[in-house]
Amino acid sequence: ISDTHIIVKKDYKKEHRFVTALKKAVKDINALSPPPDFVLFGGDLAQLGLQAELELGKDLLSGLKPKVSMMVGEHDWYYDLGEKWQGLFGDQWYSFDHKGVHFVVLNSVLVEDYWTEKKMSSMERMLFMAQLDNPDGKPFTVGKGYLGNEQVEWLKKDLKNINRNTPVVVFSHSPLYKYY
């Protein structure tokens, strides 16, 4: 499941269609036979990264029978720079092994800080980043992939002890290179 962009607004008289769609996805996955071993959520659970959006998304995903692994998207991250997301879902990057395969989940939505100098509010930063491809001219994946030094060092350590014959699957919300 990916890019649900959950929206919570007080003025809606009925449930937003994105919420309805996620409920249907959960129901459909739970009905699969055989059931999946796990579900990866591919990022952008929320539209604006607001607490109510993230909490509703977590609540809806909790209805899934399989284990859920979460990946962050820019819509989840830039309102509070991931504080609420990490509080709900844990590490922004991590790995796990399943049936002889090593899975790596990255935070691929990082960009260099441009908001501090411009004195942007949290919502201004979020709305700026919520546009497809950063309008400041810097793609989410600056250069040949911007994961930040800390994440790159973690990845090196994570992969160092993996046997070269072990399949590795890497998940990233945004591409690690600019292809369009």
Short mmCIF file of all heavy atoms in Angstrom, two decimals, residues 9-16:
data_model
loop_
_atom_site.label_atom_id
_atom_site.label_comp_id
_atom_site.label_asym_id
_atom_site.label_seq_id
_atom_site.Cartn_x
_atom_site.Cartn_y
_atom_site.Cartn_z
N LYS A 9 -10.36 16.65 7.83
CA LYS A 9 -10.85 18.02 7.95
C LYS A 9 -12.15 18.01 8.72
O LYS A 9 -13.01 17.17 8.49
CB LYS A 9 -11.06 18.64 6.57
CG LYS A 9 -9.77 18.91 5.83
CD LYS A 9 -10.03 19.73 4.59
CE LYS A 9 -8.72 20.08 3.91
NZ LYS A 9 -8.93 20.88 2.71
N LYS A 10 -12.29 18.97 9.60
CA LYS A 10 -13.49 19.04 10.44
C LYS A 10 -14.74 19.36 9.64
O LYS A 10 -15.84 18.99 10.01
CB LYS A 10 -13.30 20.09 11.54
CG LYS A 10 -12.24 19.72 12.54
CD LYS A 10 -12.05 20.81 13.56
CE LYS A 10 -10.93 20.43 14.50
NZ LYS A 10 -10.62 21.47 15.46
N ASP A 11 -14.59 20.03 8.50
CA ASP A 11 -15.76 20.47 7.77
C ASP A 11 -16.33 19.41 6.82
O ASP A 11 -17.34 19.64 6.18
CB ASP A 11 -15.46 21.76 6.99
CG ASP A 11 -14.32 21.61 5.99
OD1 ASP A 11 -13.55 20.65 6.09
OD2 ASP A 11 -14.22 22.49 5.12
N TYR A 12 -15.70 18.22 6.75
CA TYR A 12 -16.26 17.17 5.91
C TYR A 12 -17.49 16.59 6.58
O TYR A 12 -17.47 16.23 7.74
CB TYR A 12 -15.25 16.05 5.68
CG TYR A 12 -14.20 16.37 4.65
CD1 TYR A 12 -12.98 15.73 4.67
CD2 TYR A 12 -14.41 17.31 3.65
CE1 TYR A 12 -12.00 16.00 3.74
CE2 TYR A 12 -13.45 17.60 2.72
CZ TYR A 12 -12.25 16.94 2.76
OH TYR A 12 -11.28 17.22 1.83
N LYS A 13 -18.56 16.51 5.84
CA LYS A 13 -19.80 15.93 6.36
C LYS A 13 -19.72 14.40 6.36
O LYS A 13 -20.40 13.74 7.10
CB LYS A 13 -20.98 16.38 5.49
CG LYS A 13 -21.13 17.90 5.43
CD LYS A 13 -22.29 18.34 6.25
CE LYS A 13 -22.63 19.79 6.07
NZ LYS A 13 -21.74 20.74 6.63
N LYS A 14 -18.89 13.87 5.47
CA LYS A 14 -18.71 12.42 5.43
C LYS A 14 -17.22 12.13 5.30
O LYS A 14 -16.41 13.03 5.12
CB LYS A 14 -19.49 11.80 4.27
CG LYS A 14 -19.06 12.29 2.90
CD LYS A 14 -19.83 11.59 1.81
CE LYS A 14 -19.24 11.98 0.47
NZ LYS A 14 -19.65 11.13 -0.60
N GLU A 15 -16.91 10.87 5.38
CA GLU A 15 -15.53 10.43 5.32
C GLU A 15 -14.89 10.80 3.98
O GLU A 15 -15.50 10.64 2.93
CB GLU A 15 -15.58 8.91 5.47
CG GLU A 15 -14.32 8.25 5.82
CD GLU A 15 -14.61 6.80 6.20
OE1 GLU A 15 -14.89 6.00 5.29
OE2 GLU A 15 -14.56 6.50 7.39
N HIS A 16 -13.66 11.27 4.02
CA HIS A 16 -12.94 11.62 2.79
C HIS A 16 -12.70 10.35 1.97
O HIS A 16 -12.45 9.28 2.51
CB HIS A 16 -11.62 12.30 3.12
CG HIS A 16 -10.95 12.89 1.93
ND1 HIS A 16 -10.13 12.16 1.12
CD2 HIS A 16 -11.02 14.13 1.38
CE1 HIS A 16 -9.69 12.93 0.14
NE2 HIS A 16 -10.22 14.13 0.27
#
